Amino acid sequence: SQQGEEDPQALSIQEGENATMNCSYKTSINNLQWYRQNSGRGLVHLILIRSNEREKHSGRLRVTLDTSKKSSSLLITASRAADTASYFCATRAGSYQLTFGKGTKLSVIP
Amino acid sequence: SAVISQKPSRDICQRGTSLTIQCQVDSQVTMMFWYRQQPGQSLTLIATANQGSEATYESGFVIDKFPISRPNLTFSTLTVSNMSPEDSSIYLCSVDRTGSEEQFFGPGTRLTVL
């Protein structure tokens, strides 16, 4: 069964706006990773946040992690049309296996 | 990050046939992973391939259907056997970055079974 659940399932925003996607999971984790997938192609690794971290930044990306609520959020600031993609969270709990959520489909309208 | 390539990038196959997908990494890695992504769905782990040992399959996946080879530390193959339209998916290989828990993915193989 899927560990992570993203919401919303789909998000449509105007270029320049911020996009926030949320991920919830069910069991304790070692880390949580966010990925982007363009048009059914390979996954691009965006950011990894460890269970003892609360926030990480990478360029226009900001990820938060709340282990007490078993949730994470991905914020993309000043979105661009090129950010249009599906975004997935994936959790890792002790072993090598990543468990993926269902993803959020983001559309950024120019 | 590791550079991962996959061949073929896409294929259209007839039911009942088999397809072997290759995954090549530009550095030696201990574990390689194979995932399936059915249309409009998320990723599901098929199996983990270690060099020199049998692959470890996840629940719902069996070796007869998805045989895997791992002849060395930079290469692996996944075969989708006796294909049916339900096998139409994107198949992706991935590896852990050395010394890190970040997992990187290849570009995927888009398989359509008619």
Side-chain angles (χ1 to χ4, degrees), chain A residues 58-70:
Chain A
S58 177
R60 293 184 296 114
L61 305 180
R62 172 178 171 256
V63 168
T64 63
L65 179 65
D66 187 334
T67 53
S68 67
K69 295 181 180 178
K70 292 186 169 58

PDB file of all heavy atoms in Angstrom, chain A residues 58-70:
ATOM      1  N   SER A  58      16.183  24.752  -1.302  1.00  0.00           N
ATOM      2  CA  SER A  58      17.041  24.555  -2.465  1.00  0.00           C
ATOM      3  C   SER A  58      16.505  25.441  -3.578  1.00  0.00           C
ATOM      4  O   SER A  58      15.477  25.144  -4.185  1.00  0.00           O
ATOM      5  CB  SER A  58      17.025  23.083  -2.899  1.00  0.00           C
ATOM      6  OG  SER A  58      17.793  22.897  -4.073  1.00  0.00           O
ATOM      7  N   GLY A  59      17.196  26.544  -3.815  1.00  0.00           N
ATOM      8  CA  GLY A  59      16.723  27.478  -4.836  1.00  0.00           C
ATOM      9  C   GLY A  59      15.328  27.987  -4.515  1.00  0.00           C
ATOM     10  O   GLY A  59      15.078  28.535  -3.447  1.00  0.00           O
ATOM     11  N   ARG A  60      14.399  27.761  -5.436  1.00  0.00           N
ATOM     12  CA  ARG A  60      13.006  28.205  -5.222  1.00  0.00           C
ATOM     13  C   ARG A  60      12.169  27.188  -4.461  1.00  0.00           C
ATOM     14  O   ARG A  60      10.971  27.353  -4.301  1.00  0.00           O
ATOM     15  CB  ARG A  60      12.361  28.489  -6.585  1.00  0.00           C
ATOM     16  CG  ARG A  60      12.959  29.671  -7.326  1.00  0.00           C
ATOM     17  CD  ARG A  60      12.211  29.964  -8.631  1.00  0.00           C
ATOM     18  NE  ARG A  60      12.325  28.862  -9.587  1.00  0.00           N
ATOM     19  CZ  ARG A  60      11.303  28.120  -9.983  1.00  0.00           C
ATOM     20  NH1 ARG A  60      10.076  28.329  -9.513  1.00  0.00           N
ATOM     21  NH2 ARG A  60      11.483  27.157 -10.869  1.00  0.00           N
ATOM     22  N   LEU A  61      12.789  26.132  -4.003  1.00  0.00           N
ATOM     23  CA  LEU A  61      12.071  25.071  -3.300  1.00  0.00           C
ATOM     24  C   LEU A  61      12.265  25.207  -1.791  1.00  0.00           C
ATOM     25  O   LEU A  61      13.358  25.466  -1.314  1.00  0.00           O
ATOM     26  CB  LEU A  61      12.569  23.696  -3.736  1.00  0.00           C
ATOM     27  CG  LEU A  61      12.546  23.374  -5.219  1.00  0.00           C
ATOM     28  CD1 LEU A  61      13.074  21.970  -5.441  1.00  0.00           C
ATOM     29  CD2 LEU A  61      11.153  23.528  -5.789  1.00  0.00           C
ATOM     30  N   ARG A  62      11.158  24.988  -1.075  1.00  0.00           N
ATOM     31  CA  ARG A  62      11.231  24.938   0.381  1.00  0.00           C
ATOM     32  C   ARG A  62      10.431  23.728   0.821  1.00  0.00           C
ATOM     33  O   ARG A  62       9.265  23.570   0.467  1.00  0.00           O
ATOM     34  CB  ARG A  62      10.658  26.207   0.998  1.00  0.00           C
ATOM     35  CG  ARG A  62      10.519  26.158   2.522  1.00  0.00           C
ATOM     36  CD  ARG A  62       9.992  27.490   3.054  1.00  0.00           C
ATOM     37  NE  ARG A  62       9.645  27.410   4.461  1.00  0.00           N
ATOM     38  CZ  ARG A  62       8.394  27.331   4.930  1.00  0.00           C
ATOM     39  NH1 ARG A  62       7.372  27.339   4.090  1.00  0.00           N
ATOM     40  NH2 ARG A  62       8.170  27.264   6.228  1.00  0.00           N
ATOM     41  N   VAL A  63      11.065  22.870   1.588  1.00  0.00           N
ATOM     42  CA  VAL A  63      10.407  21.663   2.086  1.00  0.00           C
ATOM     43  C   VAL A  63      10.367  21.728   3.601  1.00  0.00           C
ATOM     44  O   VAL A  63      11.348  22.091   4.244  1.00  0.00           O
ATOM     45  CB  VAL A  63      11.165  20.395   1.632  1.00  0.00           C
ATOM     46  CG1 VAL A  63      10.661  19.173   2.380  1.00  0.00           C
ATOM     47  CG2 VAL A  63      11.016  20.191   0.137  1.00  0.00           C
ATOM     48  N   THR A  64       9.218  21.381   4.144  1.00  0.00           N
ATOM     49  CA  THR A  64       9.089  21.255   5.596  1.00  0.00           C
ATOM     50  C   THR A  64       8.690  19.837   5.944  1.00  0.00           C
ATOM     51  O   THR A  64       8.109  19.115   5.132  1.00  0.00           O
ATOM     52  CB  THR A  64       8.040  22.232   6.148  1.00  0.00           C
ATOM     53  OG1 THR A  64       6.767  21.903   5.586  1.00  0.00           O
ATOM     54  CG2 THR A  64       8.403  23.670   5.820  1.00  0.00           C
ATOM     55  N   LEU A  65       9.008  19.446   7.142  1.00  0.00           N
ATOM     56  CA  LEU A  65       8.668  18.114   7.636  1.00  0.00           C
ATOM     57  C   LEU A  65       8.191  18.225   9.069  1.00  0.00           C
ATOM     58  O   LEU A  65       8.855  18.826   9.900  1.00  0.00           O
ATOM     59  CB  LEU A  65       9.882  17.178   7.567  1.00  0.00           C
ATOM     60  CG  LEU A  65       9.674  15.747   8.085  1.00  0.00           C
ATOM     61  CD1 LEU A  65       8.665  15.009   7.203  1.00  0.00           C
ATOM     62  CD2 LEU A  65      10.990  14.991   8.129  1.00  0.00           C
ATOM     63  N   ASP A  66       7.027  17.666   9.330  1.00  0.00           N
ATOM     64  CA  ASP A  66       6.467  17.628  10.679  1.00  0.00           C
ATOM     65  C   ASP A  66       6.250  16.163  11.034  1.00  0.00           C
ATOM     66  O   ASP A  66       5.246  15.564  10.625  1.00  0.00           O
ATOM     67  CB  ASP A  66       5.159  18.416  10.731  1.00  0.00           C
ATOM     68  CG  ASP A  66       4.612  18.550  12.142  1.00  0.00           C
ATOM     69  OD1 ASP A  66       4.909  17.679  13.000  1.00  0.00           O
ATOM     70  OD2 ASP A  66       3.877  19.524  12.409  1.00  0.00           O
ATOM     71  N   THR A  67       7.183  15.585  11.756  1.00  0.00           N
ATOM     72  CA  THR A  67       7.086  14.160  12.060  1.00  0.00           C
ATOM     73  C   THR A  67       5.967  13.858  13.049  1.00  0.00           C
ATOM     74  O   THR A  67       5.442  12.745  13.065  1.00  0.00           O
ATOM     75  CB  THR A  67       8.421  13.626  12.607  1.00  0.00           C
ATOM     76  OG1 THR A  67       8.823  14.442  13.705  1.00  0.00           O
ATOM     77  CG2 THR A  67       9.483  13.622  11.525  1.00  0.00           C
ATOM     78  N   SER A  68       5.586  14.840  13.854  1.00  0.00           N
ATOM     79  CA  SER A  68       4.486  14.596  14.797  1.00  0.00           C
ATOM     80  C   SER A  68       3.161  14.449  14.063  1.00  0.00           C
ATOM     81  O   SER A  68       2.282  13.701  14.481  1.00  0.00           O
ATOM     82  CB  SER A  68       4.399  15.731  15.820  1.00  0.00           C
ATOM     83  OG  SER A  68       4.015  16.944  15.193  1.00  0.00           O
ATOM     84  N   LYS A  69       3.032  15.146  12.941  1.00  0.00           N
ATOM     85  CA  LYS A  69       1.815  15.049  12.128  1.00  0.00           C
ATOM     86  C   LYS A  69       2.007  14.110  10.949  1.00  0.00           C
ATOM     87  O   LYS A  69       1.078  13.893  10.173  1.00  0.00           O
ATOM     88  CB  LYS A  69       1.419  16.431  11.614  1.00  0.00           C
ATOM     89  CG  LYS A  69       1.017  17.410  12.708  1.00  0.00           C
ATOM     90  CD  LYS A  69       0.614  18.749  12.122  1.00  0.00           C
ATOM     91  CE  LYS A  69       0.209  19.716  13.225  1.00  0.00           C
ATOM     92  NZ  LYS A  69      -0.147  21.045  12.688  1.00  0.00           N
ATOM     93  N   LYS A  70       3.220  13.564  10.819  1.00  0.00           N
ATOM     94  CA  LYS A  70       3.538  12.692   9.682  1.00  0.00           C
ATOM     95  C   LYS A  70       3.143  13.378   8.373  1.00  0.00           C
ATOM     96  O   LYS A  70       2.363  12.830   7.563  1.00  0.00           O
ATOM     97  CB  LYS A  70       2.853  11.343   9.816  1.00  0.00           C
ATOM     98  CG  LYS A  70       3.401  10.499  10.980  1.00  0.00           C
ATOM     99  CD  LYS A  70       2.808   9.105  10.988  1.00  0.00           C
ATOM    100  CE  LYS A  70       3.543   8.188  11.950  1.00  0.00           C
ATOM    101  NZ  LYS A  70       3.555   8.682  13.338  1.00  0.00           N
TER     102      LYS A  70
END
